[in-house]
Amino acid sequence: MNGFPILTLLTFIPILGMIAVLVIPKDKANLAKYIALIATGIQVVLAIVLLSNFNYNAGGIFEQSSFQFIEKFRWIHIKGLSWIGTVKIDYFMGVDGISVPMVLLTAIISFIATLSSWKINKSVKGYFAMFLLLDTGMMGVFVSLDFFLFYVFWELMLLPMYFLIGIWGGPRKEYAAIKFFIYTLFGSVFMLLVMIGLYFSAHETLADGSQVFTFNMLALMDAANYTADGILSPFNPENLRFIAYIALFVGFAIKIPMFPFHTWLPDAHVEAPTPISVILAGVLLKMGTYGILRISYPMFPEITRELMWFIALFGMINIIYGALCALAQKDFKKLIAYSSISHMGYVMLGMASLSTTGINGAVLQMFNHGTITAMLFLIVGVIYDRAHTRGLNDFGGLATQMPVYTGFVTVAFFAAIGLPGLSGWVSEALVFVGSFGVEVIRTLAIISTLGILLGAGYMLWTLQRVFLGNLNEKWKDLKDIDGREYAMLIPLTLIILFLGIYPSALLDVMNTSVNSLVHFLSTNVTNFSISGL
Amino acid sequence: MDLNGLYESIALIKPEIVISLTLLAIVLFDLILSNSKKLLPFIAATGLAVTLVIQIIELSTTGYAFSPQNATLFYGMLSVDSFGAFFKVIILVSSLLIVYFSAVTDEIKQSFDRLGEYYTLIFGMILGMMFMTSAIDLILIYLSIELLSLSSYVLAGFTKIRQRNNEASLKYIIYGAVSSGMMLFGISLIYGMAGSTNLVELNNFIQSGSINLVTFSIALILIFAGFGFKISVAPFHFWTPDVYEGAPISITAFLSVASKAAGFAVLIRFIRVGFVSYVDSDGFWRLSEVFDWQALLVIISILTMTLGNFSALWQDNLKRMLAYSSIAHAGYMLLGLAVLSNQGAFAILVYFSFYLIMNIGAFFVVMLIANKLGSENIDDYNGLGLKSPFLGVALGLFLVSLTGLPPTAGFIGKLYLFIALVDAKMIIVAVIALLNTVVSLYYYIRVLKKMYLSNPTEDTPEIKTSAMNTIFILILAVPTLVFGLYFAPVVDFAKMCISFFGV
């Protein structure tokens, strides 16, 4: 694989697709669907190639040598004057065990979301152009190792997402779209500030021995690179690292979304068209937790250690609060949206444990939640396409009318509840084992188990209300799922079953990196806690 | 002043001379060949292009122009240096764009028979601005500001078609007269104390101590009112929305870019030359302790951007919205000055390069739409992006860039600004500015919302852009995107231009 720019291709194939979509003539707009399918299909192939060439024994996280598929080029290099420092920004990509599952998830979900977009018929060209741009943004975030590059990809997603919700969404689409946009931008401006602060606090030594300020994430993780007086340098007694950590965390937390920054999510989900909900829940939410693992944790290890209880606390609140809200919903899609909030709480709880088991569970949960929730949203989409309503109380007895559909629903629901044998169970179990083992957050972990109970409650109750009982006469003409829907649901079902039975397939990918992260955190706390906190 | 000195001085002001000659050429051509007014834009453009070439060749020329005989004691009226050259390039490039802009605006076409006056006045403005960028004598600063102002008062009401044109002109004159009166009074106070109107002399005088601080501060605030009026910062911004809305749109675009650039150039130079006692090794300006410029500038800039952004939220007229948005941008840029460092001034230069393209671009698209619609009202933009995709995408790009989102040039401008702020450890100020950015998103995106999220109505026009206009838009839109991804050339250029002569 040497020299083959697989990460660049993974990231920019959708952009090529977008350009192709834009140039096709208007009367052949339907071609756009095939172009998008091909582009995302290539992505899936590339992701599988990536996985099969991935060395499971390289840790990554903090040292460039153990990252894989590295691409590092000089992007912007502006030589400094006496008082303007040299500005050096690299096009720096690479993957380790934490990013590979996310790359895989992004590729799979994008492909399935393309299939799910097949019935879009309002300005098709525009839709797929935006969709593919969004795809590039997501993929770019997961493979960037330069903070500046990361930030560009992070922001790149905002505009397409705004349009995808705002143009192709439901009745209150405009409100939902702008709410999403403003929330996320609010978070990311703080990220920008922290990024600039970090930039001014650490040096990277270049090949010629000169030292320059840096956006290189790996350089920012090494305490030895920090200057004596940088505002985010641990060596500066008056540093602002604590405030910066909070600001950065809020930037990521909005994306997760963490209580109390979650209010944009139900709106966005309810208004977004099905494929966009799938992308949103399947991939976008993971960027928040991924960012915390990739940036907040290793760059601020001492503060992470300090605040782990609070991270767990918010994880717990997410789990319980999300589940309680889900119980109260009458709209199928809103229910899934709140269940998403609840399930992302497990990720936070697992991360907060700072233990190998917990973080393994968290990353696995990120992947599993991506596939399970994607499936749940597809399921909602299927019924909404046919019945044009999502009211949970409007249905009943669909099991007799749509038996195959009900079968898929049952798998997805039980996976979400965490039934042993399905993927959700493994990751939730790991999260609980991991967080239970850490004394500081044990109480919070115990309270969080309530979430499983509540989860079973709302899921089973939904199953009962929609699928069991007597068939509502209104729906006696509903057709069971068709070929395209099979094509979307079967792969996800297979993944869910496979990872339920053989989770090691994915755990082995991430394990070395997670170990390396945990080890790095524990050793680096001392390097970073020289003064102040 | 001996002839030798004069001769040397003339060598230093070649660009200004060419501008003056073009001005004369336009007047004469208009008088003699009054039947071929169509050629006037070409004469104007040629003059500007020649000036631009000369300016770029002379980029690194330095020297004092128009010094009295004993040049070691008395400095010149003009300080010719690369800092001024940068702003001259900005002014000339925007003027060139505006000449084309004017040639396709319906508003100006309707006043075809007065085209000669129009270009003469524009060149009056340009000449005033060129002198503003390098003036280091209060008298010359005042005169060049007046030259700029008087020309622009007339241009603001040039079309006389609608009532709002006259209102714009009148308001502009009244506000302008008051502020220039204040400025002149401030200058006279300074002269009374320092015995000189030369900024270098003034700096020496300040460092010698023995000033009446109260009187001195009053004088400075009065002078600042004059500058503040030009760059339209709060609380001297009240004229801006009305004038911007009422003036012909080409003039609005010109005022919002070139005139602002000149105002910033003269303000930066005023502070840099007049008050900085030395520059430390990190590039921070150490000011003589007579007046707390930093406090004043920070307060004014925060006030300006907040007022600009929040007022823009409620505007339904796009021209007016862009007027408030340009007030907000003046606030951001003023922050660069408030840092009082080379890094901050550098950030202003970078910001201005990008602001030039995205702001003129936005005005140009709004103008094309107004040509067709006869209105700039946002409610007429329903579904416009779907019916006229090219214009929609272009305007969208310019607005996103004005918001400052990557990967557009506007983001890089903001990035450099925040780098300067963080470098100076002005974190709170940076946070306020960033929150302002979030606010600004709302009104910029509102236009996108109308263009794309609303369905087209029957009145929504399908606007065909001519080949020339398409090229013009691309000339502005492509850099807006490309500089967002690869900004090294602009930054390098700005870096080359940041040195001040003689201080």
Side-chain angles (χ1 to χ4, degrees):
Chain A
M1 293 299 288
N2 276 345
F4 183 67
I6 189 163
L7 297 180
T8 300
L9 284 176
L10 264 171
T11 310
F12 290 103
I13 286 274
I15 288 266
L16 290 181
M18 181 184 101
I19 294 167
V21 165
L22 289 177
V23 297
I24 54 174
K26 236 183 184 155
D27 50 330
K28 291 194 179 125
N30 265 341
L31 264 179
K33 294 175 182 172
Y34 294 95
I35 293 172
L37 197 65
I38 292 167
T40 50
I42 295 175
Q43 251 188 331
V44 173
V45 174
L46 286 173
I48 291 168
V49 172
L50 181 81
L51 182 67
S52 56
N53 284 283
F54 183 75
N55 176 1
Y56 288 14
N57 298 317
I61 303 293
F62 62 95
E63 50 179 0
Q64 192 181 327
S65 56
S66 60
F67 269 93
Q68 299 177 48
F69 309 102
I70 289 178
E71 290 168 39
K72 192 173 183 181
F73 305 104
R74 181 176 287 187
W75 175 16
I76 286 160
H77 192 104
I78 300 162
K79 281 241 177 306
L81 287 177
S82 55
W83 42 266
I84 308 177
T86 299
V87 175
K88 181 180 142 296
I89 301 171
D90 283 332
Y91 176 83
F92 184 17
M93 287 178 168
V95 286
D96 62 6
I98 292 181
S99 30
V100 166
M102 294 301 112
V103 169
L104 205 58
L105 180 70
T106 308
I108 295 170
I109 298 295
S110 299
F111 182 75
I112 290 176
T114 312
L115 278 178
S116 155
S117 309
W118 220 251
K119 285 193 175 158
I120 295 283
N121 47 23
K122 179 178 172 188
S123 28
V124 180
K125 274 176 69 174
Y127 176 87
F128 282 98
M130 287 292 137
F131 181 90
L132 290 166
L133 188 61
L134 176 68
D135 192 359
T136 289
M138 296 187 301
M139 197 56 98
V141 163
F142 291 128
V143 297
S144 300
L145 290 180
D146 186 283
F147 207 156
F148 189 88
L149 190 64
F150 177 92
Y151 187 80
V152 169
F153 282 124
W154 181 278
E155 296 275 276
L156 189 64
M157 296 172 327
L158 291 182
L159 213 55
M161 202 63 194
Y162 170 78
F163 283 121
L164 286 168
I165 299 176
I167 299 180
W168 290 273
R172 290 171 72 231
K173 56 191 184 178
E174 294 181 5
Y175 170 77
I178 192 75
K179 194 169 176 182
F180 163 81
F181 205 154
I182 289 190
Y183 258 80
T184 325
L185 189 69
F186 179 80
S188 56
V189 292
F190 285 108
M191 196 196 298
L192 175 66
L193 210 55
V194 175
M195 178 175 101
I196 297 173
L198 283 167
Y199 172 75
F200 273 114
S201 305
H203 277 136
E204 183 190 9
T205 312
L206 296 185
D208 61 0
S210 60
Q211 291 197 313
V212 294
F213 288 131
T214 183
F215 286 113
N216 184 330
M217 284 191 194
L218 308 182
L220 291 173
M221 292 173 194
D222 187 351
N225 285 332
Y226 282 82
T227 58
D229 57 349
I231 53 168
L232 296 185
S233 161
F235 306 109
N236 179 356
E238 287 157 5
N239 68 55
L240 300 172
R241 285 174 67 82
F242 190 78
I243 297 169
Y245 186 85
I246 305 278
L248 191 60
F249 197 86
V250 168
F252 291 131
I254 287 174
K255 209 84 182 194
I256 296 178
M258 181 184 91
F259 177 89
F261 305 110
H262 65 284
T263 57
W264 63 269
L265 183 80
D267 285 312
H269 266 313
V270 170
E271 301 308 326
T274 302
I276 302 310
S277 283
V278 169
I279 293 264
L280 185 59
V283 184
L284 250 67
L285 306 189
K286 275 73 207 172
M287 292 180 10
T289 42
Y290 175 81
I292 292 174
L293 284 177
R294 172 70 65 215
I295 294 172
S296 296
Y297 270 32
M299 289 182 202
F300 300 86
E302 82 285 17
I303 300 170
T304 303
R305 173 58 58 90
E306 197 89 11
L307 293 180
M308 61 190 278
W309 188 82
F310 288 94
I311 301 174
L313 175 71
F314 278 105
M316 184 202 88
I317 294 175
N318 255 36
I319 294 172
I320 308 281
Y321 174 84
L324 286 175
C325 286
L327 269 174
Q329 298 310 316
K330 293 194 174 69
D331 181 307
F332 204 160
K333 211 169 179 187
K334 227 169 180 167
L335 174 119
I336 307 295
Y338 276 108
S339 86
S340 239
I341 296 178
S342 178
H343 283 121
M344 288 308 284
Y346 294 114
V347 180
M348 290 179 62
L349 186 64
M351 288 192 324
S353 74
L354 301 185
S355 67
T356 311
T357 325
I359 296 183
N360 263 328
V363 179
L364 189 61
Q365 170 75 358
M366 278 155 74
F367 188 90
N368 288 342
H369 175 255
T371 45
I372 296 171
T373 313
M375 190 161 164
L376 289 171
F377 276 113
L378 289 172
I379 282 166
V380 177
V382 167
I383 192 73
Y384 185 71
D385 277 351
R386 288 167 172 67
H388 302 290
T389 172
R390 292 184 304 248
L392 287 170
N393 298 326
D394 299 347
F395 295 102
L398 285 185
T400 51
Q401 184 68 27
M402 306 167 74
V404 185
Y405 174 63
T406 311
F408 282 115
V409 171
T410 316
V411 173
F413 273 27
F414 280 115
I417 294 169
L419 189 78
L422 298 171
S423 64
W425 180 74
V426 186
S427 47
E428 282 175 25
L430 283 173
V431 162
F432 280 117
V433 172
S435 51
F436 201 80
V438 180
E439 215 176 321
V440 193
I441 60 171
R442 186 171 292 155
T443 328
L444 297 171
I446 293 171
I447 302 173
S448 301
T449 48
L450 259 181
I452 297 190
L453 204 66
L454 293 169
Y458 61 77
M459 282 299 183
L460 294 177
W461 190 27
T462 306
L463 203 60
Q464 184 200 339
R465 277 187 287 178
V466 179
F467 297 96
L468 307 180
N470 296 325
L471 180 65
N472 185 337
E473 278 303 300
K474 218 163 56 174
W475 311 123
K476 65 178 169 28
D477 296 328
L478 290 190
K479 290 200 168 55
D480 214 333
I481 55 179
D482 59 27
R484 183 178 59 92
E485 287 156 354
Y486 269 115
M488 301 182 311
L489 292 173
I490 287 178
L492 290 175
T493 313
L494 289 179
I495 292 171
I496 289 169
L497 283 171
F498 176 68
L499 286 180
I501 299 160
Y502 186 62
S504 298
L506 206 58
L507 280 172
D508 287 348
V509 173
M510 65 183 79
N511 194 33
T512 318
S513 289
V514 172
N515 260 326
S516 146
L517 175 66
V518 171
H519 182 70
F520 180 73
L521 289 180
S522 60
T523 54
N524 231 16
V525 166
T526 43
N527 295 345
F528 272 98
S529 11
I530 286 135
S531 64
L533 293 152
Chain B
M1 191 186 284
D2 62 291
L3 278 174
N4 215 6
L6 195 63
Y7 183 71
E8 279 167 14
S9 299
I10 283 180
L12 290 167
I13 55 161
K14 281 182 209 150
E16 284 84 349
I17 292 174
V18 181
I19 292 289
S20 312
L21 290 177
T22 319
L23 192 153
L24 291 174
I26 290 173
V27 173
L28 291 175
F29 187 88
D30 191 41
L31 283 176
I32 299 165
L33 298 162
S34 53
N35 290 330
S36 19
K37 284 190 198 294
K38 270 197 173 146
L39 294 174
L40 280 171
F42 294 99
I43 298 174
T46 317
L48 285 168
V50 171
T51 319
L52 189 59
V53 170
I54 293 174
Q55 185 59 65
I56 288 171
I57 293 170
E58 307 255 306
L59 202 59
S60 51
T61 315
T62 50
Y64 285 122
F66 301 111
S67 322
Q69 231 164 4
N70 194 345
T72 48
L73 271 180
F74 302 97
Y75 307 87
M77 295 290 252
L78 287 171
S79 162
V80 180
D81 55 21
S82 58
F83 171 78
F86 176 88
F87 276 100
K88 282 178 197 164
V89 170
I90 291 276
I91 289 162
L92 290 169
V93 170
S94 56
S95 306
L96 258 177
L97 297 172
I98 293 298
V99 168
Y100 179 76
F101 199 145
S102 310
V104 290
T105 317
D106 277 354
E107 284 174 300
I108 302 300
K109 280 183 192 157
Q110 285 162 5
S111 317
F112 185 71
D113 46 333
R114 293 188 292 134
L115 211 57
E117 295 163 39
Y118 180 79
Y119 284 107
T120 312
L121 287 166
I122 286 219
F123 272 75
M125 282 178 77
I126 298 172
L127 194 61
M129 293 189 279
M130 301 276 277
F131 278 115
M132 274 166 82
T133 57
S134 40
I136 52 162
D137 191 289
L138 288 170
I139 296 294
L140 189 66
I141 289 178
Y142 177 76
L143 285 176
S144 51
I145 289 185
E146 280 304 289
L147 180 55
L148 164 62
S149 301
L150 289 172
S151 313
S152 44
Y153 297 151
V154 184
L155 283 173
F158 183 75
T159 48
K160 297 194 282 195
I161 302 164
R162 275 180 273 183
Q163 208 173 359
R164 69 177 195 189
N165 304 136
N166 303 330
E167 184 191 330
S169 193
L170 191 62
K171 271 200 177 143
Y172 203 9
I173 290 187
I174 291 170
Y175 279 106
V178 170
S179 71
S180 79
M182 283 163 83
M183 188 176 186
L184 202 55
F185 185 48
I187 291 174
S188 68
L189 285 177
I190 295 272
Y191 182 69
M193 280 186 286
S196 164
T197 52
N198 187 294
L199 289 180
V200 187
E201 297 277 301
L202 178 66
N203 196 340
N204 295 340
F205 168 72
I206 292 168
Q207 294 198 31
S208 71
S210 72
I211 330 166
N212 182 339
L213 284 183
V214 179
T215 323
F216 192 69
S217 304
I218 291 172
L220 290 184
I221 290 173
L222 287 171
I223 293 180
F224 184 78
F227 296 135
F229 168 76
K230 271 285 129 232
I231 57 177
S232 65
V233 292
F236 314 108
H237 69 285
F238 291 105
W239 60 276
T240 318
D242 292 324
V243 172
Y244 279 18
E245 188 186 349
I249 193 161
S250 49
I251 295 304
T252 308
F254 199 40
L255 285 177
S256 75
V257 177
S259 160
K260 212 162 255 189
F264 265 101
V266 71
L267 177 59
I268 296 171
R269 195 185 287 278
F270 178 67
I271 292 175
R272 178 72 177 77
V273 177
F275 298 87
V276 176
S277 58
Y278 69 98
V279 180
D280 71 13
S281 59
D282 290 330
F284 285 97
W285 301 351
R286 299 297 166 196
L287 263 57
S288 316
E289 308 236 330
V290 286
F291 187 75
D292 192 351
W293 277 109
Q294 187 152 43
L296 178 77
L297 291 171
V298 166
I299 292 169
I300 297 246
S301 55
I302 288 179
L303 199 65
T304 305
M305 70 176 82
T306 313
L307 250 162
N309 278 327
F310 277 90
S311 311
L313 288 177
W314 318 113
Q315 302 310 322
D316 288 331
N317 183 300
L318 226 61
K319 237 165 125 186
R320 209 173 163 85
M321 188 206 89
L322 285 172
Y324 278 112
S325 120
S326 85
I327 294 177
H329 281 276
Y332 297 131
M333 285 186 266
L334 200 61
L335 270 187
L337 182 57
V339 175
L340 294 178
S341 71
N342 284 345
Q343 183 79 51
F346 175 61
I348 298 180
L349 301 196
V350 174
Y351 201 110
F352 237 112
S353 326
F354 298 137
Y355 175 73
L356 159 75
I357 46 178
M358 60 198 185
N359 212 38
I360 291 191
F363 272 113
F364 189 76
V365 179
V366 169
M367 180 274 291
L368 285 183
I369 296 170
N371 270 358
K372 183 87 178 182
L373 277 174
S375 116
E376 297 108 10
N377 200 307
I378 193 168
D379 289 329
D380 298 329
Y381 278 57
N382 277 334
L384 197 118
L386 304 172
K387 278 226 177 159
S388 317
F390 178 67
L391 285 185
V393 170
L395 184 56
L397 180 68
F398 294 130
L399 292 180
V400 167
S401 181
L402 283 168
T403 318
L405 293 178
T408 57
F411 168 66
I412 307 300
K414 288 231 165 69
L415 180 76
Y416 268 89
L417 203 62
F418 290 120
I419 283 182
L421 284 172
V422 172
D423 194 26
K425 305 208 165 42
M426 294 163 71
I427 308 293
I428 309 275
V429 182
V431 169
I432 295 172
L434 278 170
L435 291 179
N436 257 291
T437 309
V438 180
V439 173
S440 75
L441 170 78
Y442 188 81
Y443 60 84
Y444 291 125
I445 210 76
R446 195 164 151 239
V447 182
L448 290 185
K449 189 178 103 179
K450 277 283 173 199
M451 288 198 305
Y452 286 100
L453 271 53
S454 307
N455 289 322
T457 59
E458 280 174 19
D459 302 332
T460 309
E462 202 182 327
I463 302 169
K464 295 236 184 326
T465 36
S466 68
M468 277 301 282
N469 288 346
T470 308
I471 292 170
F472 186 80
I473 290 175
L474 285 178
I475 286 175
L476 295 168
V478 171
T480 306
L481 199 58
V482 171
F483 287 148
L485 291 168
Y486 189 72
F487 48 90
V490 176
V491 174
D492 273 328
F493 178 62
K495 202 173 62 193
M496 202 167 72
C497 291
I498 186 65
S499 60
F500 293 82
F501 174 62
V503 278

